[in-house]
Amino acid sequence: MRQRSLLLAAASLTVLAAFSGAAMAQEEADRDVATTEQDAENSTRKLDQVTVTAVKREQNLQDVPVAVTAFTADIRRDLALENLSDFARFTPSLAFSAGDDRVFIRGVGRQTNTNGSDPGVATYSDGIYDASTRSVSKSDFFVERVEVLRGPQGTLYGRNSIGGAINVISKRPTDTFTSEARLELANYDTVTAETAVSGPITDRVRAKLGLSYANQDEGYFKNVAGGPNEAGDLQTSYIEFQLEADLADNFSVWLKADTTEGDFLNRTTNLAGPYDVSPFPTGYLTPGPAFGYSQANLFLAGDATSNPGENDIRKFNVNTTTQSRLDDDFGFSAIATWNLENIDINYLGGYRTYFYNSFRDDDDTNVLSYSFPLDPANPAAGEVFTGGPNCAFLQIVVGPICTPATVFPQRTFDYTEDKEFWSHELTAQSSGDSDLWWILGAYLYEENFLQESHFGNAAQPEILAPVGGPANPSGDYVTAISDLNTKSWALFAQTDYSISDTITLTGGLRYSMDEKEGSEFLRVIAYGLIPGFTLGGSGNLAPALDLTSATVSNSDAPGVASLVTIDPVTGLASRDLSGEWDAVSGTAGIQWQPDASSNYFLRYSRGYKSGGFNAGGISQFPQTDEELLDAVEIGAKKSFSETFQLNATAYLYAYDGLQVPLDVQENGIQLTRFFNLEDARAQGIELEANWTPTDALRVLATYAYNDSEVREACCFVDVADPLAQQPGAQPSGPASGGNQPQDLKGQMLPRTIPHKFGLNVSYDIPLGANGDVTLSGNYSWRDETYHGVFNRSYTQTPAYDQVDLIGLWRNPSDTVQVMTYVKNVFDEQGFDGATGRLSLQPAGVSQILYLTPPRTYGVQLQLKF
């Protein structure tokens, strides 16, 4: 499969390159071009032209000295691109994992969703910072264009754009009254309906109202335990209202309010290896569920006693359904523009709040209960509640004063996000045709984020009433909560100066300051494994023990703002956190445009991402330093006649302080900690081609090569391989506490896709008075990829490819469109993430995979009035 895909990718690029002559040109973008102007006197279709706002002003995409891809609504429709995962297939160096909602560009992104951390790729909605990725996947019914900027955008975009930025541009109210509706029916019992009404209210005021509803009743993956199929199953609704007003000839305002809610059965992962049947798997504070398959008095949901994911990754076996809900999601955006003589004053402001909750099975099995076996009789076992002898000995000597414990290993994970954030940006920039263009700006962002992680086992009565602490009505054996406030300020300036008709110099600086403060909370309870209180020794007399005071760190460290206290009512330990970070970022570049069809540029930029906290664990070292990224890019955008364009970029990154979350053992508890890696490098090449050899045929192709390497980082423990025994391990330094640290030198950065290729071929068939038909085919391939900083087989996903077929009919007036599609025609199973889990019985490392959707197909009807 991989060799076939690589050959196809190489052959396609070779063919396209042949038509270019020999120009290695940068970047990309054009293929994201949509509406096409056709020369009636020429049998060859001209290339589409796309306008973008990648550098805070409208420019033709081919003239922008930045690596940027723009997906218009039309091109999305032609290629059936629905969401961020689809964009990643056709954008060089862009990677997205729907399983954990993380975006990466050129291997730079967010390594964890823990509160106190920040993304590495910034997302914007209409130029306004958005702390979530949901808007990027909004339907093309509501979105005019999606721009993906690759590389640090440290001046004009700033906050968290160290890897790049994605900007979503809404379809605005129209000058004339229009209405449209779209209905889609698809497999897995899927129905989607969208409608919008737009038009003028007065000569100076325009409005738009849009609504959508989607329902998928059947999930992609089968639960053999008898529960509902999961993944893809959803019910969502969305409403938006826009108001645009020309309050004066030189002053306009645009307002938008929207709300979303949804229910999901959104399983995204599955265990690919066998169950760990040990009594207490690594990291467990409660008895292992799969241990029960070989024990007495076993009760199951269904009848499976092994992991079906070993043989069929699309099947799983759990007794608790994954359920998520998005609620109270409200957003408001405002843009005001004041056009003065040679100067434009712009204000961009936004606010959003939402509540998200997810509840899922956390033991990957269908075990409801079983009897935990007693240890062999021992009069000196040291069991506290039996006075020393163990239960088996007392049964022989005294009688049945104790019995084997009944274990209810129904572990769950309950996750909550309660977030609100708002941003304000004020800019002044030059207008007109002067050789000097400039922009000055100030930016303010604030966020309140409450994050709760509840690892529960409420079915186990002992956990509800632990010894050594107050009652625990939630049934959590680990409760981790963080409540943080983030403030960010920035001042920035950038200028472009044309020193001649063909050469332009660019320079920009941004000063950013970030402040984070808040509190973290933790409670830890263990059942059955602490010496003296074991299930094998004490049987049904074994209590759950509150280990909170023994687990938390009382050490002073950077970021710690208070002593640890434990609430006598809730049992929660708490501690305050506070930190500040600042940096200067910016860009400098030169652009050469010797003619109207050529754009060559050299660009240096520095990116910055704020430091943060690993909040919620009350760990020894909660704070991490900022990230800095120095990038050099060289690119070219070249048009060969009006039918072929080839864009290319080469980049080199030097990374200082990459934030990587790694699991550690502190006081016997497995926690996640942030670490800054001293030195890492990355480099790559990106190509994009757009070719229209005839009036009917269009070919779009993208390719990216990415490589990265940790130059210096030591010494860290891989919790999936604590003894550093797996192939590829690099032990360094002495072992401690049963853990062997490893050197990370030479490891590839997580989610750096070495090779990635995308191809679309479309053909227009005119039908005269009956309209026209466009037949389109997509092919995408991505290389095997590591998803952890420990490059091992269990963090690597295999290469995979996907084929889509799309047919689109339009009537002559383009008021009726019918689209049919089949995505993932050959039903290939892809993976966009992987991690390893240490298994004691059988010994080894099992792999957990993040799954992509199977084959989907449907038909869509759109009407315009």
Side-chain angles (χ1 to χ4, degrees), residues 447-528:
E447 171 185 292
N448 292 318
F449 186 11
L450 172 66
Q451 183 181 66
E452 300 187 14
S453 297
H454 299 268
F455 299 86
N457 196 176
Q460 193 70 48
E462 290 82 355
I463 293 178
L464 303 176
V467 171
N472 182 38
S474 69
D476 294 349
Y477 59 90
V478 173
T479 303
I481 301 173
S482 56
D483 190 359
L484 297 180
N485 172 264
T486 297
K487 294 184 177 71
S488 181
W489 302 266
L491 297 173
F492 60 92
Q494 182 166 313
T495 183
D496 293 347
Y497 178 58
S498 300
I499 61 175
S500 72
D501 292 340
T502 61
I503 298 176
T504 301
L505 302 180
T506 297
L509 288 174
R510 186 183 188 103
Y511 173 74
S512 302
M513 184 171 70
D514 294 274
E515 177 185 287
K516 299 179 181 181
E517 61 182 7
S519 302
E520 58 178 344
F521 307 85
L522 180 70
R523 188 176 188 186
V524 178
I525 295 170
Y527 173 58

Side-chain angles (χ1 to χ4, degrees), residues 172-242:
R172 298 294 181 88
T174 53
D175 293 326
T176 59
F177 179 81
T178 62
S179 62
E180 55 185 328
R182 180 187 291 179
L183 177 66
E184 180 178 344
L185 304 177
N187 60 332
Y188 295 99
D189 293 333
T190 303
V191 178
T192 303
E194 299 166 310
T195 185
V197 178
S198 179
I201 298 176
T202 70
D203 291 343
R204 288 183 173 270
V205 180
R206 299 164 296 281
K208 181 179 181 181
L209 176 66
L211 306 91
S212 72
Y213 171 82
N215 185 80
Q216 180 175 322
D217 280 337
E218 185 180 350
Y220 299 140
F221 310 127
K222 180 177 178 60
N223 185 359
V224 302
N229 293 351
E230 299 177 16
D233 186 309
L234 57 80
Q235 183 177 12
T236 64
S237 62
Y238 171 77
I239 302 173
E240 71 170 34
F241 177 72
Q242 298 181 42

Side-chain angles (χ1 to χ4, degrees), residues 59 64 71 140 160 180 182 228 240 295 303 447 479 486 535 609 648 695 760 779 833 843:
Q59 288 181 285
V64 178
F71 295 96
D140 64 86
N160 300 330
E180 55 185 328
R182 180 187 291 179
E240 71 170 34
Q295 305 306 315
D303 55 10
E447 171 185 292
T479 303
T486 297
L535 288 173
K609 185 169 82 169
D695 183 53
N760 169 262
Y779 175 80

Side-chain angles (χ1 to χ4, degrees), residues 110-276:
R110 183 174 202 155
Q111 305 285 349
T112 178
N113 295 337
T114 300
N115 195 2
S117 69
D118 288 311
V121 176
T123 54
Y124 291 81
S125 182
D126 297 293
I128 301 167
Y129 183 77
D130 191 333
S132 71
T133 62
R134 287 192 301 277
S135 62
V136 181
S137 294
K138 194 181 300 180
S139 167
D140 64 86
F141 191 82
F142 301 101
V143 172
E144 179 64 34
R145 185 175 68 254
V146 176
E147 300 175 7
V148 182
L149 287 71
R150 304 191 301 277
Q153 308 298 320
T155 304
L156 297 181
Y157 287 86
R159 177 169 174 77
N160 300 330
S161 62
I162 188 170
I166 303 176
N167 191 17
V168 180
I169 311 300
S170 299
K171 289 182 177 179
R172 298 294 181 88
T174 53
D175 293 326
T176 59
F177 179 81
T178 62
S179 62
E180 55 185 328
R182 180 187 291 179
L183 177 66
E184 180 178 344
L185 304 177
N187 60 332
Y188 295 99
D189 293 333
T190 303
V191 178
T192 303
E194 299 166 310
T195 185
V197 178
S198 179
I201 298 176
T202 70
D203 291 343
R204 288 183 173 270
V205 180
R206 299 164 296 281
K208 181 179 181 181
L209 176 66
L211 306 91
S212 72
Y213 171 82
N215 185 80
Q216 180 175 322
D217 280 337
E218 185 180 350
Y220 299 140
F221 310 127
K222 180 177 178 60
N223 185 359
V224 302
N229 293 351
E230 299 177 16
D233 186 309
L234 57 80
Q235 183 177 12
T236 64
S237 62
Y238 171 77
I239 302 173
E240 71 170 34
F241 177 72
Q242 298 181 42
L243 194 65
E244 192 173 43
D246 301 320
L247 301 182
D249 291 341
N250 66 342
F251 186 75
S252 62
V253 175
W254 174 78
L255 305 174
K256 176 183 172 184
D258 64 82
T259 181
T260 305
E261 65 176 28
D263 293 284
F264 314 86
L265 302 186
N266 54 337
R267 167 174 287 271
T268 57
T269 65
N270 200 11
L271 177 66
Y275 290 135
D276 186 343

Side-chain angles (χ1 to χ4, degrees), residues 833-851:
T835 186
R837 175 190 294 173
L838 179 64
S839 176
L840 300 180
Q841 298 178 27
V845 181
S846 294
Q847 189 178 42
I848 299 172
L849 292 167
Y850 294 74
L851 312 180

Side-chain angles (χ1 to χ4, degrees), residues 2 41 100 215 217 226 277 551 592 599 688 690 804 825 835 853:
R2 182 184 176 192
E41 299 179 357
D100 51 16
N215 185 80
D217 280 337
V277 296
T551 302
W592 179 44
N599 179 12
E688 191 160 25
N690 186 353
D804 309 327
V825 172
T835 186

Side-chain angles (χ1 to χ4, degrees), residues 614-627:
N614 181 51
I618 311 190
S619 57
Q620 185 177 2
F621 301 104
Q623 181 172 299
T624 185
D625 293 332
E626 69 274 5
E627 289 184 12

